[in-house]
Short mmCIF file of all heavy atoms in Angstrom, two decimals:
data_model
loop_
_atom_site.label_atom_id
_atom_site.label_comp_id
_atom_site.label_asym_id
_atom_site.label_seq_id
_atom_site.Cartn_x
_atom_site.Cartn_y
_atom_site.Cartn_z
N PRO A 21 158.60 12.48 162.07
CA PRO A 21 158.92 11.10 162.39
C PRO A 21 159.07 10.27 161.13
O PRO A 21 158.43 10.53 160.11
CB PRO A 21 157.71 10.65 163.22
CG PRO A 21 156.59 11.57 162.81
CD PRO A 21 157.26 12.88 162.52
N LEU A 34 148.42 4.17 147.75
CA LEU A 34 147.75 5.41 147.36
C LEU A 34 148.29 5.93 146.03
O LEU A 34 147.53 6.42 145.19
CB LEU A 34 147.94 6.47 148.45
CG LEU A 34 147.21 6.22 149.78
CD1 LEU A 34 147.70 7.20 150.84
CD2 LEU A 34 145.71 6.36 149.60
N ALA A 35 149.60 5.82 145.83
CA ALA A 35 150.20 6.28 144.58
C ALA A 35 149.68 5.47 143.39
O ALA A 35 149.61 5.99 142.27
CB ALA A 35 151.72 6.18 144.66
N MET A 98 142.98 1.31 158.44
CA MET A 98 142.48 1.22 159.81
C MET A 98 143.62 1.16 160.82
O MET A 98 143.48 1.66 161.95
CB MET A 98 141.57 0.01 159.95
CG MET A 98 140.27 0.10 159.15
SD MET A 98 139.35 1.66 159.43
CE MET A 98 139.03 1.57 161.19
N ASP A 107 147.41 8.10 169.60
CA ASP A 107 148.19 9.32 169.84
C ASP A 107 147.34 10.41 170.48
O ASP A 107 147.78 11.12 171.40
CB ASP A 107 148.80 9.84 168.53
CG ASP A 107 149.91 8.95 168.01
OD1 ASP A 107 150.43 8.11 168.78
OD2 ASP A 107 150.27 9.09 166.82
N ALA A 170 143.55 28.68 154.00
CA ALA A 170 144.91 29.01 153.57
C ALA A 170 145.52 27.88 152.76
O ALA A 170 146.29 28.13 151.81
CB ALA A 170 145.78 29.32 154.79
N ALA A 191 150.70 25.34 165.43
CA ALA A 191 149.31 25.60 165.79
C ALA A 191 148.42 24.40 165.55
O ALA A 191 147.49 24.13 166.33
CB ALA A 191 148.78 26.81 165.00
N GLN A 213 124.35 12.49 181.46
CA GLN A 213 122.97 12.97 181.41
C GLN A 213 121.99 11.85 181.08
O GLN A 213 120.86 11.84 181.54
CB GLN A 213 122.85 14.10 180.39
CG GLN A 213 123.54 15.39 180.81
CD GLN A 213 123.56 16.43 179.70
OE1 GLN A 213 123.06 16.20 178.60
NE2 GLN A 213 124.14 17.59 179.99
N SER A 214 122.44 10.89 180.26
CA SER A 214 121.56 9.80 179.85
C SER A 214 121.61 8.60 180.79
O SER A 214 120.92 7.61 180.59
CB SER A 214 121.92 9.33 178.44
OG SER A 214 123.24 8.80 178.41
N HIS A 228 149.14 24.58 174.94
CA HIS A 228 149.94 25.60 175.62
C HIS A 228 149.42 27.02 175.44
O HIS A 228 150.03 27.95 175.90
CB HIS A 228 151.38 25.53 175.12
CG HIS A 228 152.01 24.20 175.38
ND1 HIS A 228 152.23 23.72 176.66
CD2 HIS A 228 152.45 23.24 174.52
CE1 HIS A 228 152.80 22.52 176.58
NE2 HIS A 228 152.93 22.21 175.32
N CYS A 259 145.28 21.77 137.84
CA CYS A 259 146.27 22.77 138.24
C CYS A 259 146.21 23.97 137.28
O CYS A 259 146.14 23.79 136.05
CB CYS A 259 147.67 22.16 138.21
SG CYS A 259 148.93 23.28 138.87
N ARG A 269 148.85 17.30 142.92
CA ARG A 269 149.93 16.46 142.40
C ARG A 269 150.82 17.21 141.40
O ARG A 269 151.64 16.62 140.71
CB ARG A 269 149.34 15.20 141.74
CG ARG A 269 148.70 14.27 142.75
CD ARG A 269 148.34 12.93 142.13
NE ARG A 269 147.81 12.04 143.15
CZ ARG A 269 148.53 11.27 143.95
NH1 ARG A 269 149.84 11.30 143.85
NH2 ARG A 269 147.96 10.49 144.86
N GLY A 272 150.84 22.08 143.65
CA GLY A 272 150.53 21.93 145.06
C GLY A 272 151.55 21.11 145.81
O GLY A 272 151.56 21.10 147.04
#
Side-chain angles (χ1 to χ4, degrees):
L34 291 169
M98 293 309 300
D107 289 345
Q213 290 173 359
S214 64
H228 300 296
C259 187
R269 292 190 176 274

